[in-house]
Amino acid sequence: MRLTQPFSPGWATLATSLFLTAALPASAENVKITPLGSHDGELCRFDRALILEDPDGTRLLYDAGRTVTGPEDPRLGKIDAVLVSHMHGDHVGDRHIARVNAGECGKPDTSVVSAPNTNSVDIALAKGAKIVTGSEMPRFFAGKLQALGGDPGASQLVRFGGSRMVGGVSITTVPAVHSNGVVGALIGGKLGDMLDTAGLTAYVGPPTGYVLTFSNGLVVYLSGDTGITAEQDSVVRRHYGAKLVVMNIGDTFTTGPKEAAYVVNDLIKPAAVIASHANEAATEDGKVIAGTKTDTFIKASAVPVHLPLSGHTMDFDSEGTCVRGC
Ligand SMILES: [Zn+2]
């Protein structure tokens, strides 16, 4: 194909540029979402971590948890901000896998301890990334960063109803109905021991989800660990108009597959959903296993359910439609 026609008449130049516009891949305007799970190409028990990349190149790491092998994980690349929905070990990262594919999908080997610093803080520190959280969590992270020689100012607050820009992405937090205590192991020292002995946790405010508005207009809801909330209707759908939902479906600790499907079908009504936090080996060879919670969720959901297969990047347009990689 000839790309330049210096002596062509005006109409031909116009036709050429129209053709080129139509033929250009839309990827430059899409949001790229890459799951970082414990096992390549699968959705496994502890998988929560996602990298969400704005068309402008801004990269956010959501709930690094236990399936990122620390700051050296080659899958991370540049990270501009680390998001932490709440302080439980499987989200902030009390320990993590030593390498990808260690252990079984249903029982990953997460033997590397990252308490009391947390995997999220270790990654943010090494990457020079911000940590953007709500509630009373920013002071906890600021203290960790300072104790490790980092900049406490890199821990930034965004509470319910407010917003903060990181690159071209507007970030807000939304309520999650769950719990959010910090266990002694993440505090360390005498206070940590005393809390553990008493069976208590430290207060860091309510747990959160996030709503992210990307520079191409795509609005994404990250549920965090939550039950059914009124705000999924009143705030996430009616105010922000989320088009893509990342929904935790694992049951017992959060909404199960049927409750999660109700949130998607009746409260938020997005264009598509990514199942997350299944707390099971949900796939084999990248295909959903029949009879799993993930399978139940897919069948109950009225919109397309995309599986966050580790390492497989999915591209979403501004309307929440997966245009590549799903
Ligand atoms: Zn969890």
Side-chain angles (χ1 to χ4, degrees):
M1 182 174 66
R2 291 174 64 192
L3 294 178
T4 52
Q5 298 177 308
F7 303 110
S8 62
W11 65 267
T13 306
L14 178 63
T16 302
S17 64
L18 283 174
F19 171 75
L20 283 175
T21 303
L24 271 176
S27 62
E29 294 301 318
N30 295 330
V31 172
K32 296 177 188 299
I33 300 182
T34 307
L36 302 187
S38 64
H39 288 69
D40 284 327
E42 308 288 0
L43 172 56
C44 296
R45 180 176 165 198
F46 288 126
D47 293 4
R48 289 103 173 85
L50 302 176
I51 289 176
L52 302 107
E53 182 178 323
D54 190 86
D56 78 355
T58 302
R59 286 163 65 85
L60 310 177
L61 173 63
Y62 165 60
D63 281 355
R66 295 169 177 159
T67 64
V68 178
T69 68
E72 310 304 321
D73 193 319
R75 302 173 299 174
L76 284 173
K78 176 185 82 124
I79 298 294
D80 297 289
V82 173
L83 311 179
V84 184
S85 63
H86 65 294
M87 294 301 305
H88 292 164
D90 58 319
H91 294 261
V92 71
D94 55 349
R95 56 184 199 264
H96 62 79
I97 56 173
R99 57 180 180 80
V100 173
N101 301 326
E104 302 298 314
C105 184
K107 197 180 179 201
D109 176 0
T110 58
S111 53
V112 182
V113 174
S114 40
N117 297 348
T118 76
N119 205 12
S120 292
V121 169
D122 286 342
I123 292 166
L125 195 63
K127 297 290 183 183
K130 295 167 178 152
I131 302 176
V132 180
T133 57
S135 296
E136 306 289 335
M137 293 184 275
R139 289 186 64 189
F140 175 87
F141 289 119
K144 291 286 186 206
L145 289 170
Q146 187 151 34
L148 294 167
D151 172 17
S155 177
Q156 299 188 338
L157 168 71
V158 60
R159 286 219 176 98
F160 304 141
S163 62
R164 181 179 284 282
M165 295 297 295
V166 173
V169 188
S170 175
I171 302 172
T172 189
T173 51
V174 290
V177 181
H178 192 60
S179 67
N180 195 25
V182 183
V183 296
L186 298 184
I187 295 167
K190 203 168 176 184
L191 177 59
D193 289 343
M194 287 166 70
L195 284 167
D196 282 347
T197 301
L200 297 173
T201 57
Y203 174 80
V204 283
T208 70
Y210 288 91
V211 174
L212 310 177
T213 304
F214 291 90
S215 66
N216 69 343
L218 177 65
V219 181
V220 180
Y221 168 57
L222 309 173
S223 75
D225 278 3
T226 188
I228 299 166
T229 75
E231 290 84 358
Q232 287 161 337
D233 171 58
S234 60
V235 178
V236 176
R237 177 173 64 88
R238 282 196 260 166
H239 182 68
Y240 292 107
K243 292 287 198 291
L244 176 65
V245 166
V246 176
M247 194 70 211
N248 293 11
I249 66 165
D251 213 342
T252 308
F253 304 96
T254 70
T255 47
K258 290 191 173 134
E259 293 77 13
Y262 168 75
V263 170
V264 168
N265 297 346
D266 292 83
L267 300 187
I268 306 181
K269 304 175 184 178
V273 57
I274 296 173
S276 189
H277 199 283
N279 288 350
E280 65 185 358
T283 62
E284 193 175 347
D285 298 327
K287 301 274 180 276
V288 69
I289 298 169
T292 56
K293 290 176 275 189
T294 305
D295 187 35
T296 302
F297 178 65
I298 291 168
K299 285 171 178 156
S301 175
V303 299
V305 176
H306 303 301
L307 293 176
L309 302 177
S310 183
H312 290 213
T313 299
M314 299 173 276
D315 291 15
F316 292 89
D317 68 13
S318 61
E319 295 303 308
T321 302
C322 184
V323 292
R324 205 171 68 100
C326 292

